[in-house]
Amino acid sequence: MILNSLCDYYDLLVRDEAVNISPYGFEIITASYNAVLSEDGDLISINSLTEFNDKKPQGFMMPKSMKISGIAASPVCDNFAYVFGISGEKGKKEIEEKKFQTAKELHIKMFEDSFSKESIAIKKFFEKWDINEAWGNELILKYYNQKGNAFSGNVVFSLVGKEEYLHQNAEIMDIWLKHNQEKYEDTDEHIAQCSITGEKSPIARIHPQFSGVKGASTMGASLVCFKKDADASYNLSQSYNSAVSEVATFKYSTALKYMLASMKQKMFIGDDTTVFWASSANETYTNIFKEMFNVSDDNNDEEDEENEKVDRKTEEIVKSVLKDGMQGMENSPQIDTSTKFYVLGLAPNAGRISVRYFYANSFKEFCEKVKLHYDDINIYGGPNGKRNIKIGAIIYATISSNSRDKKANPLLGGAITRAILTGDMYPQLLYSQILIRVKTEASVTQARAAIIKGYLVRKSRIAKKKEEIDVYLNEQSTNAGYVLGRVFAILEKIQKDALGDGINATIKDKYFASACSNPSLVFPNLLKLAQHHLAKIKVNDMNKKGNYMNIKLGECLGLIEGESFPKVQSMDNQGRFILGYYQQNQKNYEKGNTNKEEK
């Protein structure tokens, strides 16, 4: 299903003239230098291609490289060792001589019957070039340095006075493609029915490797690979087990490389790399989806220069959808909400890439699920609070503020994303880690409160039960955990009013965790202590304030059923306790003229 969808996306991209994607048999190869030749094959100059490209290699569309593992050359585009017989250190080496000889034999054989000026020039260059004199060539010494990393990157060729590169010449391109085809025909082809196309065709023995996946090898990692004998079946070795044709392999790998190459259709969620696409050439779908997830501000990993601010029109659509649902897209005729949309989560795993999740649904369903997520976790955070808590902030909320290693559990990103995209329960791991953090640090941030609210609201909905937790304080709730949280917030406010905000430690710092888990052990003493604090407030001529807090305390205590406090609270009621405390605190310190509309 994943490879099928990627192949379909490739077919869509290759028909779009605005997209620079490789047709079958071609690939984009980067180069850092341009070697300029005369028609007689003499080296005229070597020019840097990175100098005016932000020090990055330049990408060129050319037939698929002929390089394989070991010593193997590719025509008219290769590194310094194959082209000039030298590497980053001075002095001739046996391995460099072998590489140059391999490239020389390849070019002379490929272009022995050619007639174009370009193919004759490259053939003459290899016939003339003497690697024994290479280190004395001033053109090469220009790019040499003592750090040992000189000449990194490939070299492409051009004729003096010509703007066209040799790999763009029609004759060279035809010969190159023909040799690539013959190379596959000379191998022991395995013909079988492709599991993607359904046609009988040559099956790919080795699948490509991908870069751009967070945490994976910088050299690249494969999505499809078989490296152990235990993986083989029916005497089929390597990727013959997967029965994916060469054509299908090229299509799916090219489409995935296209998305991984920039941040337009890629985002990092925790330790996962997520790519997404629509069955439409209209990039509005992917722009809206990424803006709805809105993870860039909380992501400190690589950000491509292409990851620019989303246009205002997309922002307005997203705001409208998160507020009014799919009605927010009614004024956008270019969007068909029934368009198929795909989300693929990838993660590194022992030298290869593993799939965390893959979902295919209508664009409408995805948007509704993301809106439901934001509705579930929405909680009032005061005048400086946020309306939509980002996923990055959710993951970060599980990390101890005192920890030096600010890394979250690597499984959280994928688990949270699955819950968002499917509407299923948020992971128990997320909820339990937030409870631990809150009780350990006695710190309830808006993000932590939002996670607890979202978990409890979604759990109640799935169980078809009513949950009394809302965006704002619910003063009618009789849930023991929630009410006790409110009582604790009022007791803390009474203590601060009596002793001032400058006290070293409040009851929250000393008793929060115990009050949350075992109320009966703490609350009787806290209520006695509150009477002393109320008396002190009256002495300080704050009688009205003291009376008000005493009344609120009595109202909250009156909501608790039974004559005694619970001995132990369940995990769910501990979460409600934290929410009651958080929301009552927001109420305690809000300005008197603040209403819900202003919030």
Side-chain angles (χ1 to χ4, degrees):
M1 181 64 181
I2 298 174
L3 302 190
N4 293 64
S5 303
L6 287 169
C7 286
D8 292 341
Y9 186 51
Y10 171 83
D11 292 335
L12 184 71
L13 290 173
V14 81
R15 293 194 297 268
D16 189 348
E17 295 181 356
V19 177
N20 184 26
I21 196 166
S22 310
Y24 180 63
F26 289 75
E27 65 179 331
I28 296 176
I29 300 176
T30 59
S32 301
Y33 303 94
N34 171 34
V36 182
L37 306 178
S38 69
E39 292 185 7
D40 290 330
D42 296 318
L43 181 64
I44 305 300
S45 64
I46 301 175
N47 303 317
S48 172
L49 296 174
T50 64
E51 187 174 346
F52 302 104
N53 193 37
D54 294 330
K55 297 184 179 180
K56 294 181 180 179
Q58 188 172 335
F60 296 97
M61 185 82 71
M62 58 183 74
K64 192 173 181 180
S65 175
M66 295 175 64
K67 298 182 77 66
I68 56 176
S69 58
I71 296 178
S74 193
V76 299
C77 179
D78 218 321
N79 59 50
F80 265 68
Y82 286 93
V83 173
F84 301 115
I86 59 175
S87 63
E89 298 179 7
K90 282 187 176 182
K92 187 179 68 173
K93 294 181 179 179
E94 183 179 346
I95 187 69
E96 293 168 341
E97 187 173 1
K98 188 179 293 186
K99 287 180 179 181
F100 175 79
Q101 192 63 34
T102 301
K104 180 178 179 179
E105 292 173 0
L106 173 71
H107 284 82
I108 292 175
K109 181 180 179 181
M110 283 184 65
F111 304 121
E112 60 182 346
D113 298 323
S114 59
F115 55 86
S116 68
K117 294 179 181 179
E118 290 80 3
S119 56
I120 293 173
I122 190 68
K123 183 173 63 172
K124 285 185 175 181
F125 165 77
F126 277 99
E127 289 174 341
K128 290 182 175 182
W129 186 257
D130 185 358
I131 65 171
N132 295 312
E133 299 179 1
W135 280 111
N137 191 298
E138 293 182 359
L139 298 174
I140 289 177
L141 291 176
K142 176 183 176 182
Y143 295 102
Y144 176 75
N145 62 44
Q146 300 294 335
K147 295 180 180 179
N149 59 357
F151 317 132
S152 60
N154 290 324
V155 181
V156 291
F157 292 87
S158 64
L159 285 185
V160 63
K162 301 285 186 179
E163 293 184 0
E164 182 185 71
Y165 293 100
L166 265 60
H167 62 261
Q168 296 171 325
N169 176 265
E171 184 191 40
I172 291 177
M173 196 180 298
D174 290 341
I175 294 173
W176 192 347
L177 289 170
K178 182 180 178 182
H179 273 72
N180 273 346
Q181 184 62 34
E182 290 175 352
K183 183 179 69 173
Y184 287 119
E185 290 175 355
D186 290 341
T187 59
D188 295 329
E189 286 187 341
H190 180 79
I191 307 296
Q193 185 178 32
C194 175
S195 58
I196 306 298
T197 64
E199 299 176 355
K200 282 193 173 183
S201 53
I203 300 300
R205 183 177 65 87
I206 299 175
H207 286 241
Q209 294 184 321
F210 302 93
S211 57
V213 176
K214 182 179 178 181
S217 170
T218 55
M219 301 298 293
S222 297
L223 183 63
V224 179
C225 60
F226 299 82
K227 295 184 177 180
K228 298 177 181 179
D229 293 339
D231 299 330
S233 59
Y234 297 98
N235 294 322
L236 298 176
S237 62
Q238 295 185 313
S239 293
Y240 288 146
N241 285 272
S242 60
V244 180
S245 67
E246 290 283 357
V247 175
T249 299
F250 172 82
K251 286 184 176 182
Y252 94 76
S253 62
T254 305
L256 185 54
K257 286 178 181 178
Y258 172 79
M259 290 186 284
L260 289 171
S262 75
M263 294 299 295
K264 286 186 175 181
Q265 291 173 248
K266 176 177 76 171
M267 56 188 177
F268 300 113
I269 304 177
D271 282 9
D272 296 343
T273 302
T274 302
V275 294
F276 42 91
W277 67 97
S279 56
S280 168
N282 186 356
E283 63 180 16
T284 303
Y285 296 99
T286 51
N287 288 343
I288 290 174
F289 182 80
K290 184 168 186 179
E291 179 65 8
M292 289 186 76
F293 265 73
N294 202 11
V295 297
S296 58
D297 290 345
D298 297 303
N299 172 29
N300 294 322
D301 295 285
E302 72 170 275
E303 291 284 345
D304 257 359
E305 292 180 0
E306 297 176 16
N307 187 26
E308 301 171 351
K309 286 187 177 181
V310 181
D311 61 277
R312 182 168 295 181
K313 189 175 182 180
T314 300
E315 289 180 346
E316 292 301 320
I317 292 174
V318 170
K319 287 179 182 178
S320 183
V321 170
L322 294 181
K323 181 181 178 183
D324 303 319
M326 297 311 293
Q327 295 177 358
M329 290 190 185
E330 289 181 354
N331 297 325
S332 303
Q334 76 274 22
I335 299 175
D336 180 4
T337 56
S338 64
T339 298
K340 200 72 175 289
F341 200 81
Y342 305 87
V343 183
L344 173 63
L346 304 172
N349 179 25
R352 65 186 72 189
I353 299 173
S354 63
V355 176
R356 287 277 201 225
Y357 46 82
F358 176 67
Y359 295 107
N361 213 328
S362 69
F363 187 64
K364 175 183 178 181
E365 287 294 324
F366 278 118
C367 289
E368 288 179 341
K369 289 293 190 297
V370 177
K371 180 185 183 305
L372 179 64
H373 158 71
Y374 283 119
D375 288 343
D376 285 346
I377 68 169
N378 184 25
I379 191 167
Y380 177 63
N384 298 321
K386 296 182 179 180
R387 171 65 177 82
N388 299 313
I389 307 295
K390 299 176 184 178
I391 300 175
I394 291 176
I395 297 173
Y396 188 80
T398 64
I399 304 172
S400 170
S401 58
N402 299 320
S403 174
R404 292 184 179 179
D405 184 9
K406 299 295 183 181
K407 289 186 178 180
N409 188 305
L411 300 177
L412 272 181
I416 294 171
T417 306
R418 280 192 290 269
I420 294 172
L421 297 178
T422 62
D424 291 339
M425 278 290 300
Y426 292 109
Q428 176 70 37
L429 175 64
L430 173 66
Y431 181 71
S432 60
Q433 284 198 352
I434 290 297
L435 291 188
I436 292 171
R437 292 272 66 81
V438 171
K439 290 191 292 183
T440 302
E441 301 175 16
S443 172
V444 192
T445 63
Q446 185 188 10
R448 289 173 176 175
I451 296 166
I452 294 171
K453 174 183 176 283
Y455 178 87
L456 295 174
V457 166
R458 188 162 288 198
K459 182 176 182 179
S460 296
R461 182 192 305 119
I462 293 173
K464 296 182 179 180
K465 295 179 180 179
K466 184 179 180 181
E467 182 58 66
E468 297 178 346
I469 298 170
D470 200 356
V471 179
Y472 309 101
L473 177 68
N474 183 356
E475 297 183 307
Q476 282 71 50
S477 174
T478 59
N479 178 272
Y482 187 81
V483 175
L484 286 172
R486 291 184 59 199
V487 170
F488 194 88
I490 293 172
L491 292 174
E492 184 186 29
K493 183 67 166 61
I494 292 172
Q495 183 189 32
K496 286 183 176 181
D497 289 344
L499 305 179
D501 291 334
I503 56 177
N504 293 328
T506 66
I507 59 171
K508 180 187 73 170
D509 301 306
K510 295 182 178 181
Y511 302 109
F512 189 88
S514 299
C516 181
S517 306
N518 309 101
S520 63
L521 297 178
V522 176
F523 273 95
N525 291 332
L526 291 179
L527 289 174
K528 290 179 183 178
L529 187 63
Q531 297 308 311
H532 296 292
H533 291 149
L534 286 168
K536 190 167 186 177
I537 293 174
K538 292 179 181 180
V539 171
N540 293 336
D541 197 26
M542 299 171 61
N543 195 37
K544 290 184 179 179
K545 195 171 186 179
N547 285 339
Y548 173 77
M549 296 307 296
N550 197 17
I551 291 170
K552 295 304 295 182
L553 178 61
E555 289 176 354
C556 284
L557 290 172
L559 294 171
I560 300 175
E561 298 177 356
E563 297 181 357
S564 60
F565 296 106
K567 291 183 178 181
V568 178
Q569 292 209 104
S570 65
M571 293 283 285
D572 288 355
N573 271 346
Q574 289 181 39
R576 293 185 182 97
F577 176 96
I578 294 168
L579 289 176
Y581 169 81
Y582 175 81
Q583 292 184 320
Q584 183 63 54
N585 251 342
Q586 299 297 325
K587 182 75 173 179
N588 288 344
Y589 295 99
E590 73 179 359
K591 293 182 180 179
N593 61 350
T594 304
N595 56 46
K596 288 188 179 182
E597 288 301 319
E598 290 173 334
K599 293 173 187 176

